[in-house]
PDB file of all heavy atoms in Angstrom:
ATOM      1  N   GLY A 141      35.977-177.335  61.772  1.00  0.00           N
ATOM      2  CA  GLY A 141      35.795-178.774  61.671  1.00  0.00           C
ATOM      3  C   GLY A 141      36.931-179.585  62.258  1.00  0.00           C
ATOM      4  O   GLY A 141      36.788-180.780  62.476  1.00  0.00           O
ATOM      5  N   HIS A 142      38.076-178.941  62.521  1.00  0.00           N
ATOM      6  CA  HIS A 142      39.219-179.685  63.043  1.00  0.00           C
ATOM      7  C   HIS A 142      39.736-179.118  64.360  1.00  0.00           C
ATOM      8  O   HIS A 142      40.437-179.818  65.086  1.00  0.00           O
ATOM      9  CB  HIS A 142      40.373-179.675  62.034  1.00  0.00           C
ATOM     10  CG  HIS A 142      40.031-180.304  60.731  1.00  0.00           C
ATOM     11  ND1 HIS A 142      39.774-181.650  60.589  1.00  0.00           N
ATOM     12  CD2 HIS A 142      39.891-179.774  59.499  1.00  0.00           C
ATOM     13  CE1 HIS A 142      39.495-181.919  59.324  1.00  0.00           C
ATOM     14  NE2 HIS A 142      39.548-180.791  58.640  1.00  0.00           N
ATOM     15  N   GLY A 143      39.451-177.865  64.653  1.00  0.00           N
ATOM     16  CA  GLY A 143      40.026-177.231  65.831  1.00  0.00           C
ATOM     17  C   GLY A 143      41.521-177.023  65.628  1.00  0.00           C
ATOM     18  O   GLY A 143      41.995-176.860  64.510  1.00  0.00           O
ATOM     19  N   HIS A 144      42.262-177.040  66.720  1.00  0.00           N
ATOM     20  CA  HIS A 144      43.724-176.936  66.643  1.00  0.00           C
ATOM     21  C   HIS A 144      44.280-178.320  66.351  1.00  0.00           C
ATOM     22  O   HIS A 144      43.808-179.312  66.905  1.00  0.00           O
ATOM     23  CB  HIS A 144      44.294-176.373  67.943  1.00  0.00           C
ATOM     24  CG  HIS A 144      44.010-174.920  68.110  1.00  0.00           C
ATOM     25  ND1 HIS A 144      44.807-173.942  67.573  1.00  0.00           N
ATOM     26  CD2 HIS A 144      42.998-174.277  68.736  1.00  0.00           C
ATOM     27  CE1 HIS A 144      44.301-172.760  67.857  1.00  0.00           C
ATOM     28  NE2 HIS A 144      43.198-172.928  68.559  1.00  0.00           N
ATOM     29  N   VAL A 145      45.247-178.375  65.472  1.00  0.00           N
ATOM     30  CA  VAL A 145      45.836-179.645  65.061  1.00  0.00           C
ATOM     31  C   VAL A 145      47.347-179.590  65.263  1.00  0.00           C
ATOM     32  O   VAL A 145      47.938-178.513  65.334  1.00  0.00           O
ATOM     33  CB  VAL A 145      45.511-179.958  63.580  1.00  0.00           C
ATOM     34  CG1 VAL A 145      44.020-180.173  63.376  1.00  0.00           C
ATOM     35  CG2 VAL A 145      46.027-178.860  62.662  1.00  0.00           C
ATOM     36  N   CYS A 146      47.970-180.759  65.347  1.00  0.00           N
ATOM     37  CA  CYS A 146      49.425-180.793  65.472  1.00  0.00           C
ATOM     38  C   CYS A 146      50.059-180.958  64.090  1.00  0.00           C
ATOM     39  O   CYS A 146      49.400-181.353  63.125  1.00  0.00           O
ATOM     40  CB  CYS A 146      49.874-181.900  66.428  1.00  0.00           C
ATOM     41  SG  CYS A 146      49.651-183.576  65.813  1.00  0.00           S
ATOM     42  N   LEU A 147      51.343-180.658  64.016  1.00  0.00           N
ATOM     43  CA  LEU A 147      52.070-180.743  62.750  1.00  0.00           C
ATOM     44  C   LEU A 147      52.031-182.161  62.181  1.00  0.00           C
ATOM     45  O   LEU A 147      51.908-182.331  60.974  1.00  0.00           O
ATOM     46  CB  LEU A 147      53.519-180.278  62.950  1.00  0.00           C
ATOM     47  CG  LEU A 147      54.420-180.307  61.726  1.00  0.00           C
ATOM     48  CD1 LEU A 147      53.831-179.494  60.562  1.00  0.00           C
ATOM     49  CD2 LEU A 147      55.804-179.787  62.098  1.00  0.00           C
ATOM     50  N   ARG A 148      52.106-183.163  63.013  1.00  0.00           N
ATOM     51  CA  ARG A 148      52.035-184.556  62.549  1.00  0.00           C
ATOM     52  C   ARG A 148      50.738-184.782  61.766  1.00  0.00           C
ATOM     53  O   ARG A 148      50.732-185.359  60.689  1.00  0.00           O
ATOM     54  CB  ARG A 148      52.110-185.518  63.741  1.00  0.00           C
ATOM     55  CG  ARG A 148      51.996-186.990  63.390  1.00  0.00           C
ATOM     56  CD  ARG A 148      52.040-187.884  64.642  1.00  0.00           C
ATOM     57  NE  ARG A 148      53.308-187.769  65.330  1.00  0.00           N
ATOM     58  CZ  ARG A 148      53.513-187.031  66.419  1.00  0.00           C
ATOM     59  NH1 ARG A 148      52.514-186.345  66.973  1.00  0.00           N
ATOM     60  NH2 ARG A 148      54.698-186.982  66.982  1.00  0.00           N
ATOM     61  N   TRP A 149      49.623-184.316  62.312  1.00  0.00           N
ATOM     62  CA  TRP A 149      48.319-184.475  61.660  1.00  0.00           C
ATOM     63  C   TRP A 149      48.328-183.775  60.299  1.00  0.00           C
ATOM     64  O   TRP A 149      47.837-184.320  59.309  1.00  0.00           O
ATOM     65  CB  TRP A 149      47.210-183.900  62.551  1.00  0.00           C
ATOM     66  CG  TRP A 149      45.835-184.163  62.045  1.00  0.00           C
ATOM     67  CD1 TRP A 149      45.019-185.202  62.395  1.00  0.00           C
ATOM     68  CD2 TRP A 149      45.112-183.385  61.076  1.00  0.00           C
ATOM     69  NE1 TRP A 149      43.827-185.109  61.691  1.00  0.00           N
ATOM     70  CE2 TRP A 149      43.863-184.011  60.882  1.00  0.00           C
ATOM     71  CE3 TRP A 149      45.397-182.236  60.361  1.00  0.00           C
ATOM     72  CZ2 TRP A 149      42.906-183.513  60.005  1.00  0.00           C
ATOM     73  CZ3 TRP A 149      44.442-181.741  59.483  1.00  0.00           C
ATOM     74  CH2 TRP A 149      43.211-182.380  59.314  1.00  0.00           C
ATOM     75  N   VAL A 150      48.884-182.561  60.257  1.00  0.00           N
ATOM     76  CA  VAL A 150      48.916-181.805  59.002  1.00  0.00           C
ATOM     77  C   VAL A 150      49.753-182.555  57.961  1.00  0.00           C
ATOM     78  O   VAL A 150      49.353-182.658  56.796  1.00  0.00           O
ATOM     79  CB  VAL A 150      49.444-180.369  59.217  1.00  0.00           C
ATOM     80  CG1 VAL A 150      49.693-179.662  57.892  1.00  0.00           C
ATOM     81  CG2 VAL A 150      48.450-179.580  60.066  1.00  0.00           C
ATOM     82  N   LEU A 151      50.890-183.091  58.347  1.00  0.00           N
ATOM     83  CA  LEU A 151      51.722-183.828  57.388  1.00  0.00           C
ATOM     84  C   LEU A 151      50.998-185.053  56.839  1.00  0.00           C
ATOM     85  O   LEU A 151      51.006-185.302  55.631  1.00  0.00           O
ATOM     86  CB  LEU A 151      53.054-184.224  58.027  1.00  0.00           C
ATOM     87  CG  LEU A 151      54.014-183.070  58.262  1.00  0.00           C
ATOM     88  CD1 LEU A 151      55.183-183.523  59.132  1.00  0.00           C
ATOM     89  CD2 LEU A 151      54.499-182.484  56.948  1.00  0.00           C
ATOM     90  N   VAL A 152      50.349-185.805  57.710  1.00  0.00           N
ATOM     91  CA  VAL A 152      49.595-186.977  57.244  1.00  0.00           C
ATOM     92  C   VAL A 152      48.457-186.533  56.333  1.00  0.00           C
ATOM     93  O   VAL A 152      48.221-187.120  55.270  1.00  0.00           O
ATOM     94  CB  VAL A 152      49.085-187.828  58.433  1.00  0.00           C
ATOM     95  CG1 VAL A 152      48.127-188.912  57.965  1.00  0.00           C
ATOM     96  CG2 VAL A 152      50.261-188.441  59.190  1.00  0.00           C
ATOM     97  N   HIS A 153      47.751-185.479  56.724  1.00  0.00           N
ATOM     98  CA  HIS A 153      46.663-184.963  55.888  1.00  0.00           C
ATOM     99  C   HIS A 153      47.180-184.521  54.519  1.00  0.00           C
ATOM    100  O   HIS A 153      46.548-184.800  53.489  1.00  0.00           O
ATOM    101  CB  HIS A 153      45.954-183.798  56.583  1.00  0.00           C
ATOM    102  CG  HIS A 153      44.959-183.127  55.710  1.00  0.00           C
ATOM    103  ND1 HIS A 153      43.774-183.733  55.329  1.00  0.00           N
ATOM    104  CD2 HIS A 153      44.982-181.916  55.094  1.00  0.00           C
ATOM    105  CE1 HIS A 153      43.106-182.911  54.517  1.00  0.00           C
ATOM    106  NE2 HIS A 153      43.826-181.813  54.368  1.00  0.00           N
ATOM    107  N   MET A 154      48.318-183.846  54.488  1.00  0.00           N
ATOM    108  CA  MET A 154      48.875-183.372  53.213  1.00  0.00           C
ATOM    109  C   MET A 154      49.286-184.537  52.324  1.00  0.00           C
ATOM    110  O   MET A 154      49.095-184.481  51.099  1.00  0.00           O
ATOM    111  CB  MET A 154      50.057-182.433  53.464  1.00  0.00           C
ATOM    112  CG  MET A 154      49.660-181.113  54.102  1.00  0.00           C
ATOM    113  SD  MET A 154      48.566-180.112  53.065  1.00  0.00           S
ATOM    114  CE  MET A 154      49.702-179.661  51.761  1.00  0.00           C
ATOM    115  N   ILE A 155      49.829-185.594  52.892  1.00  0.00           N
ATOM    116  CA  ILE A 155      50.166-186.788  52.105  1.00  0.00           C
ATOM    117  C   ILE A 155      48.898-187.351  51.475  1.00  0.00           C
ATOM    118  O   ILE A 155      48.869-187.671  50.289  1.00  0.00           O
ATOM    119  CB  ILE A 155      50.884-187.841  52.972  1.00  0.00           C
ATOM    120  CG1 ILE A 155      52.259-187.328  53.391  1.00  0.00           C
ATOM    121  CG2 ILE A 155      50.991-189.170  52.226  1.00  0.00           C
ATOM    122  CD1 ILE A 155      52.907-188.122  54.516  1.00  0.00           C
ATOM    123  N   GLU A 156      47.847-187.431  52.266  1.00  0.00           N
ATOM    124  CA  GLU A 156      46.559-187.938  51.764  1.00  0.00           C
ATOM    125  C   GLU A 156      46.009-187.017  50.675  1.00  0.00           C
ATOM    126  O   GLU A 156      45.528-187.479  49.636  1.00  0.00           O
ATOM    127  CB  GLU A 156      45.582-188.048  52.939  1.00  0.00           C
ATOM    128  CG  GLU A 156      44.175-188.436  52.553  1.00  0.00           C
ATOM    129  CD  GLU A 156      43.284-187.241  52.215  1.00  0.00           C
ATOM    130  OE1 GLU A 156      43.474-186.153  52.799  1.00  0.00           O
ATOM    131  OE2 GLU A 156      42.398-187.409  51.361  1.00  0.00           O
ATOM    132  N   GLU A 157      46.086-185.723  50.891  1.00  0.00           N
ATOM    133  CA  GLU A 157      45.577-184.750  49.918  1.00  0.00           C
ATOM    134  C   GLU A 157      46.307-184.888  48.580  1.00  0.00           C
ATOM    135  O   GLU A 157      45.686-184.970  47.517  1.00  0.00           O
ATOM    136  CB  GLU A 157      45.761-183.334  50.474  1.00  0.00           C
ATOM    137  CG  GLU A 157      45.322-182.232  49.559  1.00  0.00           C
ATOM    138  CD  GLU A 157      43.863-181.856  49.703  1.00  0.00           C
ATOM    139  OE1 GLU A 157      43.208-182.281  50.665  1.00  0.00           O
ATOM    140  OE2 GLU A 157      43.377-181.125  48.826  1.00  0.00           O
ATOM    141  N   TYR A 158      47.620-184.922  48.641  1.00  0.00           N
ATOM    142  CA  TYR A 158      48.409-185.051  47.417  1.00  0.00           C
ATOM    143  C   TYR A 158      48.196-186.397  46.744  1.00  0.00           C
ATOM    144  O   TYR A 158      48.094-186.473  45.515  1.00  0.00           O
ATOM    145  CB  TYR A 158      49.897-184.841  47.701  1.00  0.00           C
ATOM    146  CG  TYR A 158      50.329-183.407  47.561  1.00  0.00           C
ATOM    147  CD1 TYR A 158      50.340-182.557  48.661  1.00  0.00           C
ATOM    148  CD2 TYR A 158      50.731-182.891  46.337  1.00  0.00           C
ATOM    149  CE1 TYR A 158      50.742-181.238  48.543  1.00  0.00           C
ATOM    150  CE2 TYR A 158      51.138-181.572  46.205  1.00  0.00           C
ATOM    151  CZ  TYR A 158      51.136-180.753  47.311  1.00  0.00           C
ATOM    152  OH  TYR A 158      51.525-179.450  47.183  1.00  0.00           O
ATOM    153  N   ALA A 159      48.146-187.470  47.518  1.00  0.00           N
ATOM    154  CA  ALA A 159      47.973-188.801  46.920  1.00  0.00           C
ATOM    155  C   ALA A 159      46.642-188.886  46.174  1.00  0.00           C
ATOM    156  O   ALA A 159      46.563-189.430  45.070  1.00  0.00           O
ATOM    157  CB  ALA A 159      48.071-189.878  47.995  1.00  0.00           C
TER     158      ALA A 159
END
Side-chain angles (χ1 to χ4, degrees):
H142 299 293
H144 288 275
V145 295
C146 70
L147 180 56
R148 178 182 297 101
W149 187 94
V150 171
L151 289 169
V152 171
H153 173 70
M154 292 297 291
I155 293 166
E156 175 271 328
E157 178 88 12
Y158 269 93

